[in-house]
Amino acid sequence: MIRHLMLTALTVCLLTHATATEPPPVEVKHLDYKSIARANDWIGLHFSDAITRNSVSRIILTRLTPVGIPGTADNESTDQQTHDIASGLTRTLFSETGAIQKWGQLAEEVETAELVIVTKTGEIFFVNVLRKTGEEKANAFILRGSGFSVRLPVVGVSE
């Protein structure tokens, strides 16, 4: 009798262990090839040609690392300073970036801010602001959309 009880208990343990170690269901993600192709079409264009100023509904500064801002602690900045930084980044993005490139963030770059661009048609783009370690000004932007990512180097005032 004891043998049957032990055998039953062992069987129950093995069965519960077998069901507990089942792998989770696999979720299949479909790629949006139309969006990926759009990024390839943008290579060589300037930002203002890919996303025109008239098509933008709003630009939101969602994250800011205020390291290097004069007169602030490392984690604090005034509303006016934040507004000025966001305006400067937007101006740089639209007028001082070079042609859109394929590659992303370089090893010597750090992310200092993030902008979210919402267009009038409802598209949402995320822009990471990059600067080289030890420098104060942005040297590149990473533009991320639905299924793609491109790089915009800062080259100075365009003609």
Side-chain angles (χ1 to χ4, degrees):
M1 181 73 172
I2 293 178
R3 275 190 200 166
H4 292 298
L5 230 102
M6 289 181 67
L7 184 60
T8 305
L10 182 60
T11 305
V12 169
C13 288
L14 288 174
L15 289 177
T16 57
H17 178 70
T19 58
T21 58
E22 291 290 322
V26 176
E27 183 177 324
V28 178
K29 183 177 181 179
H30 297 282
L31 296 175
D32 184 2
Y33 291 106
K34 189 175 182 181
S35 295
I36 295 169
R38 172 198 254 180
N40 288 335
D41 291 343
W42 284 1
I43 302 299
L45 294 178
H46 287 274
F47 180 77
S48 58
D49 297 329
I51 302 174
T52 62
R53 288 182 192 245
N54 295 338
S55 70
V56 174
S57 172
R58 69 181 57 211
I59 298 176
I60 305 158
L61 178 65
T62 58
R63 186 177 29 182
L64 175 65
T65 307
V67 176
I69 300 173
T72 64
D74 281 348
N75 60 355
E76 294 182 6
S77 61
T78 65
D79 288 342
Q80 184 61 45
Q81 286 173 321
T82 303
H83 182 270
D84 293 344
I85 290 168
S87 296
L89 290 173
T90 302
R91 187 174 40 257
T92 302
L93 183 61
F94 274 98
S95 63
E96 298 180 22
T97 54
I100 294 174
Q101 303 169 346
K102 282 189 178 183
W103 59 83
Q105 185 172 345
L106 303 177
E108 66 269 7
E109 293 173 333
V110 294
E111 187 177 318
T112 59
E114 180 183 65
L115 300 168
V116 175
I117 299 174
V118 181
T119 65
K120 292 177 182 174
T121 60
E123 292 180 291
I124 299 173
F125 299 97
F126 297 92
V127 180
N128 295 344
V129 181
L130 305 175
R131 68 174 169 82
K132 287 189 177 180
T133 306
E135 294 183 8
E136 290 184 20
K137 295 192 177 221
N139 71 304
F141 296 91
I142 301 295
L143 174 67
R144 293 179 288 120
S146 176
F148 72 92
S149 174
V150 293
R151 179 183 176 86
L152 297 138
V154 174
V155 295
V157 179
S158 62
E159 300 173 11

